[in-house]
Amino acid sequence: MSDNITELNIIPRKQRSKRLLALDAARGLAVVGMFVQHFALNQINSFVSGNTMILFILCSGISYSIMSQSMKEHGIEPTTFRSRVLARSVFIDFIGYLILMLNGPFGMVLSAYAMLFILSLALVHYSARTLIILSGVLFLVSPPLMLIGLSLFADTALLGDIAGGPLSALAWAPVFIAGMAIGKMDLYKFKTAIKFVVTGLTILIPFKLIAIFLLPGLRQKFENWLVQFPAYENPPMVDQYAIWPLNTQPIQWQMLFLDSPQSGAAFELLIGLGGTLILLGLLLLIENKLKVVLRPFAAAGRVALTLYVAQFVLVWGTTLIGVDITSIDIGAIPFGDIMVVLFTLLIGWLLAKLPNGPLESAIRRFEGLFYKK
């Protein structure tokens, strides 16, 4: 391939004002993967478990930077951006607590997602290079800190959302900030897409090999060492009515050596990040040649929040009428997972026919109450 070709932009300049189809498609793939994970998981598609949320959080970080830069380029004051982010965070957090009230069977991350939006306000002016360094540091420090938070803040609402375990903002921060760094790059260049694929392979392959061949042994040795301490060999009965922090559980340090879905461990996040970077790079390349392939997933991506919430409402509604849909092993049915994918894409396509998805429209109206358009 010649140097001239590698310098070509993926998307013509005259189209750059439009939504990035590959980003919408990536978000759509994430929410479709969530439906498969929750309703039709099997041995063949088990790779979606946990990785869909990593993809969703990465796309959110990318969109966060793009929104910030777009408003800056259009001369919109920084206070307006902050107002939009704060309003959006309050709305998403409220939706998250409503979902928690339904007491569904799935982990819910909207509250952590809202906290990420607020906490990242301090980072929007940093360069991509600085954000990459910060993300790398957080891949090291976030896992132990979120485990401390899981012990100290497990039963608190706001602090738990910020730093209380694997589904907290702190746990997802390395991926979100990596997304923010990506959002500051030129996503329309051929070289950028290739770099994502190469970087993803560079991250994915070594950490996956370590997770397969070395991590189980390291975990066993660490657990054997850990049980030497009385608090872990014979865990004391915790009095939930004692004053804080006497009512907290011992810190689960062994979780640092997991690579299981939604564990918040560094290995899980790095393996997932490597895979999502490869996927994002491929989607950017596909957008230039085969847009038609991406459009069904991009439609779902434009209404991703509505679809995300819909799965909780679906389980709640069917349970009310006496049908436990999660007990139906759809994944064991021949092509059951494909049917779930097609169903999700169909609903996403129908919702995308509206000017905006129901929740997406509600967020915009709510945001509009707090700044002058």
Side-chain angles (χ1 to χ4, degrees), residues 63-284:
S63 297
Y64 193 88
S65 281
I66 290 175
M67 181 173 70
S68 171
Q69 291 185 107
S70 176
M71 295 183 71
K72 183 178 180 180
E73 290 170 1
H74 286 83
I76 299 175
E77 296 181 358
T79 54
T80 300
F81 174 74
R82 290 195 292 270
S83 297
R84 288 192 65 179
V85 168
L86 290 172
R88 181 169 297 194
S89 300
V90 169
F91 186 94
I92 291 174
D93 202 27
F94 179 72
I95 296 297
Y97 284 121
L98 286 180
I99 291 176
L100 285 177
M101 186 179 68
L102 302 182
N103 200 26
F106 314 135
M108 196 283 301
V109 297
L110 284 185
S111 297
Y113 182 55
M115 293 302 106
L116 279 171
F117 266 59
I118 295 174
L119 297 173
S120 297
L121 279 172
L123 305 176
V124 293
H125 300 300
Y126 289 157
S127 66
R129 181 185 179 87
T130 301
L131 291 172
I132 290 172
I133 294 172
L134 178 59
S135 175
V137 171
L138 286 174
F139 273 111
L140 295 175
V141 303
S142 286
L145 290 179
M146 70 88 182
L147 289 179
I148 295 173
L150 179 62
S151 172
L152 298 178
F153 309 136
D155 296 324
T156 61
L158 182 60
L159 293 177
D161 294 337
I162 295 174
L167 297 182
S168 66
L170 180 61
W172 296 112
V175 176
F176 188 86
I177 294 173
M180 289 181 64
I182 291 171
K184 290 179 177 289
M185 301 176 185
D186 190 343
L187 299 180
Y188 302 98
K189 281 189 175 181
F190 181 91
K191 276 188 173 181
T192 305
I194 295 298
K195 284 180 181 178
F196 289 160
V197 175
V198 173
T199 303
L201 288 170
T202 304
I203 295 173
L204 175 64
I205 293 174
F207 282 102
K208 187 63 177 179
L209 291 175
I210 292 172
I212 294 172
F213 296 107
L214 297 179
L215 198 59
L218 289 173
R219 181 168 62 246
Q220 187 61 53
K221 289 180 180 179
F222 182 79
E223 290 176 352
N224 292 339
W225 174 80
L226 198 61
V227 295
Q228 299 178 34
F229 299 92
Y232 293 94
E233 183 178 14
N234 297 301
M237 294 293 294
V238 176
D239 182 4
Q240 62 178 332
Y241 299 107
I243 61 173
W244 183 86
L246 302 179
N247 62 343
T248 59
Q249 297 285 345
I251 300 171
Q252 303 300 309
W253 293 116
Q254 66 273 18
M255 291 178 64
L256 291 173
F257 295 89
L258 296 177
D259 65 332
S260 55
Q262 296 183 352
S263 64
F267 282 93
E268 179 226 349
L269 295 179
L270 285 166
I271 292 170
L273 177 65
T276 55
L277 285 176
I278 295 170
L279 177 63
L280 181 61
L282 293 176
L283 291 175
L284 288 168

Side-chain angles (χ1 to χ4, degrees), residues 42 44 329-340:
N42 56 38
I44 297 175
D329 194 359
I330 300 176
I333 301 171
F335 304 106
D337 49 357
I338 301 299
M339 289 189 291
V340 170

